[in-house]
Amino acid sequence: MTRIAVAGAAGRMGRRICALTFELDNLLLTGGFEHKDHPDIGRDLGELIGHDVGGIKLSSSIDDILDKCDVLIDFTAPEATIENMEALTGTSTAFVTGTTGIDKQGQEKIAELAQNIPCVYAGNMSLGINLLTKVVADIAKALGDDYDVEVVEAHHKMKKDAPSGTAFMLASAAADALGRDIEKDGVFARHGIIGERKPKEIGVQTIRGGDVVGEHTVMFLGMGERIEVSHKVSNRDTFARGALKAALWLSGKPARLYNMQDVLGLR
Ligand code: NAD
């Protein structure tokens, strides 16, 4: 049995992760905490997720769950994710995070901490997207520089970061396969007289609105034809199940930074 605690347990993802521990085998929910100012602190976690959790209260501090879980699953915000991972140093708890919008410095910090903490870090926990990432790299490699690569993503209006971590991941996969640098060749906004498209550009466009859970399309645009590969998520449980699958897979693994390609055996 793998004991799971959840950071951001009252958030959109946190609630579904807590709830789904009851539907999957070999998982035991042992705690959840939230930002110290969250209005639900102290409430029965079961009331929030619609399951009997045996009297577990929503805590305001990671300290309350540290010795009670094998894996901490974190879907919070960039700064909180780094703080939560730092708090695991010196414990035997592994870390799964799906928080997006973490900058380069934050990502380097995660990699450094993962030298001592087994960690799965993935901007998208769905099987479909991780498969798509592999497919995108294969298509880019096969088509080479004659086809222009553009990524379009759409998400709900509450999403705070842009482009999505997934769009960046897909654009990076294409860039790597083509021997380009997404930091240099990525174009994340176009407006005004921008001139002709540069041959090595990889465009990433963002749409925000309504309740879209997550949609990504990668286009390979050639002269006279184009290939499009798309992925659409209609339910957050897709990500929550991926996070729990990652937690089960990670339990007992040596300290290292892993991603969903590792979890799903795609690399
Ligand atoms: P949300 O705003 O509904 O939930 C985030 C929760 O984290 C909130 O309840 C907030 O109070 C809590 N929080 C903030 N700071 C905290 C702290 N210091 N300690 C504990 N809790 C804290 O957002 P969401 O839709 O659940 O998404 C959360 C993150 O996960 C975002 O970055 C989002 O982009 C990402 N996400 C990733 C995937 C994936 O597959 N990797 C899928 C969906 C969402």
Side-chain angles (χ1 to χ4, degrees):
M1 196 63 93
T2 301
R3 297 173 306 157
I4 302 288
V6 178
R12 283 180 289 264
M13 283 300 300
R15 285 179 197 228
R16 291 312 301 154
I17 291 166
C18 289
L20 286 171
T21 57
F22 292 89
E23 286 179 25
L24 302 177
D25 291 337
N26 299 320
L27 291 169
L28 180 66
L29 182 68
T30 52
F33 68 97
E34 257 296 338
H35 189 280
K36 61 178 174 35
D37 298 329
H38 197 282
D40 290 323
I41 296 292
R43 266 184 77 185
D44 189 277
L45 192 53
E47 276 177 35
L48 289 173
I49 64 166
H51 277 276
D52 180 3
V53 297
I56 301 173
K57 303 275 184 227
L58 183 69
S59 161
S60 62
S61 166
I62 191 170
D63 296 340
D64 295 332
I65 58 94
L66 274 184
D67 58 348
K68 297 192 189 103
C69 63
D70 303 308
V71 184
L72 174 65
I73 302 182
D74 167 288
F75 279 71
T76 56
E79 216 172 286
T81 295
I82 306 293
E83 281 172 19
N84 290 335
M85 191 172 178
E86 276 173 334
L88 300 185
T89 306
T91 72
S92 57
T93 302
F95 191 59
V96 171
T97 182
T99 301
T100 61
I102 297 175
D103 62 15
K104 205 160 182 246
Q105 206 185 344
Q107 291 177 21
E108 284 166 7
K109 187 71 190 167
I110 289 176
E112 183 194 321
L113 291 166
Q115 288 169 18
N116 296 307
I117 302 164
C119 172
V120 173
Y121 165 42
N124 192 305
M125 298 270 176
S126 88
L127 167 62
I129 275 292
N130 284 280
L131 199 57
L132 187 70
T133 306
K134 197 169 180 307
V135 168
V136 162
D138 289 347
I139 296 175
K141 210 173 283 169
L143 295 176
D145 287 336
D146 290 342
Y147 286 69
D148 299 322
V149 185
E150 295 281 318
V151 180
V152 183
E153 62 104 333
H155 279 87
H156 55 88
K157 59 185 169 194
M158 284 79 76
K159 185 164 175 64
K160 296 188 183 85
D161 55 313
S164 68
T166 305
F168 193 80
M169 183 168 92
L170 291 166
S172 302
D176 291 349
L178 291 164
R180 300 180 199 168
D181 177 357
I182 193 61
E183 297 290 348
K184 198 160 65 63
D185 299 316
V187 174
F188 297 92
R190 294 189 179 106
H191 179 68
I193 311 294
I194 57 167
E196 278 186 22
R197 190 183 196 283
K198 294 187 192 71
K200 296 209 163 184
E201 268 181 36
I202 294 182
V204 182
Q205 313 301 328
T206 299
I207 294 165
R208 289 287 174 270
D211 62 353
V212 181
V213 178
E215 299 188 2
H216 295 85
T217 296
V218 183
M219 299 179 192
F220 296 88
L221 302 109
M223 303 304 282
E225 67 171 357
R226 94 176 177 226
I227 297 172
E228 289 186 11
V229 282
S230 291
H231 180 266
K232 296 182 179 162
V233 178
S234 51
N235 190 319
R236 274 188 185 83
D237 286 6
T238 304
F239 306 126
R241 283 204 177 84
L244 289 166
K245 190 171 183 158
L248 272 172
W249 178 88
L250 187 61
S251 189
K253 290 268 184 313
R256 218 192 92 187
L257 185 59
Y258 303 95
N259 63 25
M260 282 306 279
Q261 306 271 323
D262 298 308
V263 175
L264 300 167
L266 294 174
R267 70 167 188 183

